């Protein structure tokens, strides 16, 4: 019997653990966060939408950023 080590990440300041691997896009869906009109920063660096199908790595700090209008 093999045990899986949970994948722990922080999203917008909240810690989450997942038992199975998932892509960045799946993570957003699972957490009911929008996939449209947002940008992601992972560990302080912009993470392009072209990479959202890549698996989430253990220990990432993810910020979901939305554009705000104003002047």
């Amino acid at each position: 019997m093999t045990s899986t080590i949970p994948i722990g990440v922080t999203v917008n300041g909240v810690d989450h653990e997942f038992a199975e691997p998932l892509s960045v896009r799946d993570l957003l869906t699972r957490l009911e966060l929008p996939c449209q009109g947002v940008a992601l920063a992972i560990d302080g660096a912009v993470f392009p939408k072209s990479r959202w199908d890549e698996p989430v790595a253990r220990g990432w700090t993810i910020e979901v950023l939305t554009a705000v209008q104003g002047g």
Side-chain angles (χ1 to χ4, degrees), residues 2-70:
T2 59
S3 63
T4 11
I5 299 171
I7 299 167
V9 296
T10 303
V11 181
N12 292 345
V14 179
D15 294 333
H16 298 275
E17 282 192 356
F18 301 96
E20 72 283 342
L22 67 165
S23 70
V24 173
R25 190 178 312 279
D26 291 339
L27 171 81
L28 295 175
T29 301
R30 176 94 49 99
L31 296 179
E32 298 180 358
L33 293 168
C35 290
Q36 299 291 325
V38 297
L40 295 184
I42 296 181
D43 295 334
V46 173
F47 195 78
K49 200 165 196 167
S50 62
R51 295 182 59 196
W52 285 15
D53 290 319
E54 293 180 16
V56 172
R58 186 173 288 111
W60 275 359
T61 298
I62 303 169
E63 295 295 326
V64 181
L65 310 166
T66 57
V68 177
Q69 285 185 264

